[in-house]
Amino acid sequence: MIYVTGDMHGVLSRFDDPRLRSLKSGDTLIVCGDFGFLWDGSKEEMNVLKKLAKKKYMICFVDGTHENFDMLSKLKVKKWHGGKVHQIAGNILHLMRGQVFELENQKIFTMGGGESPDIEIRFEMNTWSEMEIPTRDELVEGVDNLQKYGGSVDLIITHEPPAKIKEFLLLQNESVTGITAINTYLEDVGKTCEFKHWYFGSLHLDKFISNTHASLFTNIVNAVTGEALR
């Protein structure tokens, strides 16, 4: 089975969630950005990754805006279920931008990245990276890969939401930041691509917006059925 959840920001206790006990060997958990367990390369961090790598299920993530992109970019690119990945440790994979993966008879389009709402603070603290923003080549690769599948996939997993979804949430939540170029790109993807479910995590909000779109934070959802684990 394929499950999806929201931003983790390196909080190890998220993996103590009792709902994850139902995941079995061969299952996959995908994090919608800001995984955060590859951050400083410290000995403590490496020990945490070794611990996570022993989980019986796969742990995958699209990148968000709070990642160590320098460390990610130095990893060797590998192929996994038809798309490009970085292998972090054992069963932990970074699903790269603009890829389509074929997993458990599901075609999954991934697009990480975004623009930090706290960019000024992070710039001053020297923790901001321009690599958080998808490049033109990555965006074009995403379109090309979707076209290879006839513009039809089963799941879309991103860090940011499409523009109209974000506009809708802006009306309800003052903490939601404005529309960016990646939101506009994803809006175009949604208009030209057929899909069943779209999951994103950047807003730190658990909300089923429609039959197709869901914002995830601590919720853990069966990606195929759209049902949240209890």
Side-chain angles (χ1 to χ4, degrees), residues 5-221:
T5 192
D7 298 11
M8 289 188 164
H9 292 278
V11 178
L12 186 58
S13 61
R14 288 285 296 275
F15 284 97
D16 295 329
D17 192 311
R19 292 172 294 182
L20 291 177
R21 293 173 188 163
S22 63
L23 273 65
K24 302 177 177 63
S25 177
D27 289 341
T28 302
L29 176 68
I30 303 178
V31 181
C32 296
D34 289 349
F35 182 59
F37 290 94
L38 188 72
W39 188 254
D40 58 15
S42 65
K43 183 177 180 180
E44 180 182 5
E45 183 174 85
M46 294 301 105
N47 288 335
V48 168
L49 288 172
K50 287 179 181 179
K51 180 178 179 179
L52 293 178
K54 294 179 181 178
K55 295 287 185 183
K56 56 188 176 183
Y57 51 87
M58 294 294 299
I59 300 171
C60 301
F61 67 97
V62 298
D63 54 275
T65 57
H66 294 76
E67 314 282 4
N68 189 321
F69 292 99
D70 287 329
M71 292 181 71
L72 280 176
S73 65
K74 292 175 183 176
L75 296 174
K76 184 178 179 180
V77 176
K78 299 183 178 182
K79 276 282 191 175
W80 182 77
H81 288 279
K84 295 189 294 188
V85 301
H86 290 125
Q87 187 172 23
I88 308 302
N91 64 339
I92 307 173
L93 301 176
H94 167 225
L95 308 180
M96 296 178 68
R97 298 170 181 171
Q99 304 302 302
V100 176
F101 299 92
E102 296 184 66
L103 182 64
E104 295 189 26
N105 296 318
Q106 300 292 304
K107 297 184 289 291
I108 307 170
F109 174 73
T110 59
M111 180 57 75
E115 295 185 36
S116 298
D118 57 348
I119 185 172
E120 293 182 1
I121 296 173
R122 293 184 59 209
F123 189 80
E124 290 176 0
M125 297 176 64
N126 197 32
T127 59
W128 179 79
S129 171
E130 64 180 357
M131 286 188 283
E132 71 174 27
I133 303 172
T135 65
R136 182 182 183 280
D137 287 345
E138 289 169 336
L139 299 178
V140 170
E141 183 176 5
V143 172
D144 289 345
N145 282 332
L146 284 171
Q147 289 178 346
K148 290 177 183 177
Y149 285 85
S152 178
V153 294
D154 298 292
L155 308 174
I156 296 180
I157 298 179
T158 61
H159 183 57
E160 281 285 331
K164 285 192 175 180
I165 295 294
K166 197 169 188 179
E167 287 172 355
F168 169 74
L169 294 172
L170 273 169
L171 296 174
Q172 300 182 329
N173 191 335
E174 293 181 357
S175 67
V176 177
T177 56
I179 306 302
T180 67
I182 185 62
N183 301 126
T184 303
Y185 169 86
L186 293 173
E187 182 68 27
D188 290 339
V189 166
K191 289 178 180 178
T192 58
C193 178
E194 294 181 358
F195 61 93
K196 297 175 183 176
H197 293 285
W198 186 323
Y199 303 102
F200 59 91
S202 68
L203 304 183
H204 292 187
L205 176 70
D206 286 310
K207 188 177 183 66
F208 290 94
I209 301 157
S210 67
N211 290 332
T212 53
H213 292 80
S215 172
L216 301 179
F217 187 26
T218 60
N219 269 354
I220 302 169
V221 174

